[in-house]
Amino acid sequence: MMEGLPPVVSWPPLQTLMRLTLALAVGLFVGLEREWRGKEAGLRTFGFAALLGGMGGLLGPNFALLSLALLGVLLCFLNWQSLRANGGAELTTSAALLVTGFTGVLCGLGHTVTPAAVGVTTAGLLAWKERMATFSHKITAEELRSAILLAILAFAIYPVLPAQPVDPWGLIEPRAAWVTVILIAAIGFVNYLLWKMFGTHGVEVTGFLGGLVNSTVTVAELANRVRETSGRLLDVAYRGVMLATAAMALRNAVLLGLLSFRALVDSAIPLVLILLSSTGLALVRSRVEATPGAEPPALPLKSPFSLPSALKFGLIFLALQVVGTVGQTLLGRWGFYAVSAVGGLVSSASAVASAASLCANGTISPTTAGVGAIIASLASAAINFILVARVSEQRSLTLRLGRALGVVMLLGLVGALVQTRLPEFLPNTPGSPGLIEPHQP
């Protein structure tokens, strides 16, 4: 007796149509860029490749592998034809076709967000070819080494560090400290790359992005330019210093949010006041008093990530963490505030990271950590004012910045006072101005 054919696989029509439609949409989206560039594999080829992967995903793992193998054969013919025509292989298009085939398989298996995100990313990498090439050619050997060193410290050294405290008092945790060091350095390095890309388009961008990298270097250079030009860049320096102060507050807020979100919530009011007042005073002044023909200064910022800078951040962070813990144990939160003020004079980023780390470990309350971060930020602003007063040698600029930074510091202190009083008026608000009480057995 002749056996019958195997039963037909029952696929829900609507779900099947949705999966294949998504695969086709992703393929067409990526292929649109290749078609626009006049490549041999364009809109239709990418659409077919995504559909092939989608049907393979629907039929099962074996058919998915077969569809990708067939796509590999297609790529061999594509590159062979390209080599015969112009002597060059279509490596970028081939890689994009392979990725598109895999996204089709994901769509066939029922995934939605992942293939869509991969498709958008692929199209972006293809479309930003010129910008990425220009950016990579501008990177110096020192900056490339800095990026490689950052990766080594993050992925090679971090896993081998002890996760538990190494001292009898439980103050030094190498792995936790190293995470904070890498975080601070990575933020500075990314901001440095942004400054290189956009920092020459005006004093506003220069001052703000320079402040994200290193506000002290930015302010010192602006003041030095004022002295060299005999005061012709007073307005430029004023706006740059105020925007560098705003950038410093924004960077510290990001550090707080990444290391201890509760500490950021309990310091939101003063941080917002510092950020808005610094930015507002800079913009108002720039509209009222503009210096005709004033060129934005070229800041001599170097890559903030290197082995010496990483070790410096680590030593400052550990010192502040140890001294802050001892200070709050002996003198209460006022001892911790004093340590935060001194730390802000040296490195506000390290002081803020130390406060957030102590809060995350349960040593201090979120409100105490937030106030300590505000004090460190205001101390950094005070140091910037002292730098301008000593380096610029311009009394008018010193007075203008003194008034402006005085307003910023006053608003920050008022905001901190309001933030600490909020729990009294809102009983459900988390956090209290004191330290976390030790657990009672």
Side-chain angles (χ1 to χ4, degrees), residues 22 25-27 29-30 46 95-107 111-126:
L22 178 60
V26 171
F29 185 76
V30 178
F46 276 82
L97 265 174
L98 281 175
V99 172
T100 303
F102 272 101
T103 59
V105 171
L106 290 175
C107 292
H111 296 270
T112 55
V113 177
T114 301
V118 171
V120 172
T121 304
T122 303
L125 290 175
L126 294 172

Side-chain angles (χ1 to χ4, degrees), residues 353-371:
S354 175
S357 179
L358 291 175
C359 176
N361 294 334
T363 306
I364 58 177
S365 70
T367 302
T368 302
V371 173

Side-chain angles (χ1 to χ4, degrees), residues 332-346:
R333 67 175 184 272
W334 296 107
F336 171 75
Y337 292 159
V339 173
S340 297
V342 175
L345 298 177
V346 179

Side-chain angles (χ1 to χ4, degrees), residues 243-259:
L243 289 170
T245 303
M248 176 267 299
L250 179 61
R251 181 199 62 201
N252 291 345
V254 171
L255 279 174
L256 274 180
L258 292 176
L259 295 174

Side-chain angles (χ1 to χ4, degrees), residues 128-423:
W128 297 332
K129 171 186 175 182
E130 290 80 7
R131 292 187 179 182
M132 295 178 67
T134 302
F135 175 75
S136 62
H137 292 157
K138 290 182 178 179
I139 294 179
T140 64
E142 178 187 359
E143 293 159 2
L144 183 59
R145 287 193 296 268
S146 297
I148 295 174
L149 177 61
L150 175 60
I152 292 174
L153 297 182
F155 300 108
I157 296 181
Y158 168 76
V160 302
L161 292 176
Q164 303 300 325
V166 295
D167 61 305
W169 305 278
L171 297 176
I172 301 177
E173 297 183 18
R175 182 173 290 189
W178 201 246
V179 168
T180 306
V181 170
I182 293 174
L183 178 62
I184 294 174
I187 291 176
F189 187 67
V190 171
N191 291 330
Y192 170 77
L193 295 180
L194 291 175
W195 173 81
K196 281 202 67 175
M197 295 172 62
F198 306 109
T200 58
H201 291 276
V203 66
E204 287 80 7
V205 179
T206 302
F208 188 79
L209 292 178
L212 289 175
V213 179
N214 191 320
S215 62
T216 302
V217 173
T218 302
V219 170
E221 182 62 23
L222 289 169
N224 187 55
R225 292 303 175 89
V226 171
R227 180 176 55 81
E228 291 177 351
T229 58
S230 301
R232 289 194 299 273
L233 293 177
L234 285 177
D235 298 319
V236 169
Y238 172 82
R239 298 196 305 272
V241 172
M242 296 306 298
L243 289 170
T245 303
M248 176 267 299
L250 179 61
R251 181 199 62 201
N252 291 345
V254 171
L255 279 174
L256 274 180
L258 292 176
L259 295 174
S260 177
F261 184 75
R262 291 182 60 194
L264 175 62
V265 172
D266 283 356
S267 61
I269 294 177
L271 281 174
V272 170
L273 288 175
I274 293 174
L275 179 61
L276 293 181
S277 59
S278 301
T279 307
L281 287 170
L283 296 180
V284 169
R285 287 287 186 177
S286 66
R287 292 177 181 175
V288 176
E289 303 177 20
T291 303
E295 294 293 332
L299 303 180
L301 293 175
K302 297 182 180 180
S303 175
F305 194 85
S306 61
L307 187 58
S309 64
L311 294 177
K312 183 188 73 173
F313 274 129
L315 291 175
I316 294 175
F317 172 78
L318 284 176
L320 290 175
Q321 193 170 29
V322 172
V323 176
T325 302
V326 174
Q328 65 87 11
T329 301
L330 299 178
L331 303 175
R333 67 175 184 272
W334 296 107
F336 171 75
Y337 292 159
V339 173
S340 297
V342 175
L345 298 177
V346 179
S347 172
S348 65
S350 297
V352 170
S354 175
S357 179
L358 291 175
C359 176
N361 294 334
T363 306
I364 58 177
S365 70
T367 302
T368 302
V371 173
I374 297 304
I375 292 174
S377 301
L378 295 178
S380 179
I383 279 293
N384 291 341
F385 169 73
I386 294 174
L387 275 175
V388 173
R390 294 190 60 181
V391 176
S392 68
E393 300 178 356
Q394 293 292 325
R395 179 178 174 82
S396 59
L397 176 61
T398 302
L399 293 176
R400 286 174 61 184
L401 278 176
R403 290 191 295 266
L405 290 177
V407 171
V408 172
M409 297 178 69
L410 179 61
L411 289 175
L413 292 175
V414 170
L417 180 62
V418 172
Q419 189 84 59
T420 55
R421 297 299 181 185
L422 273 181

Side-chain angles (χ1 to χ4, degrees), residues 15-31 43-58 99-112 115-116 119:
Q15 292 186 17
T16 303
L17 180 63
M18 290 177 60
R19 294 183 184 186
L20 292 178
T21 301
L22 178 60
L24 178 62
V26 171
L28 293 177
F29 185 76
V30 178
L43 200 62
R44 293 177 298 173
T45 306
F46 276 82
F48 283 132
L51 277 179
L52 179 64
M55 289 186 292
L58 284 171
V99 172
T100 303
F102 272 101
T103 59
V105 171
L106 290 175
C107 292
L109 294 174
H111 296 270
T112 55

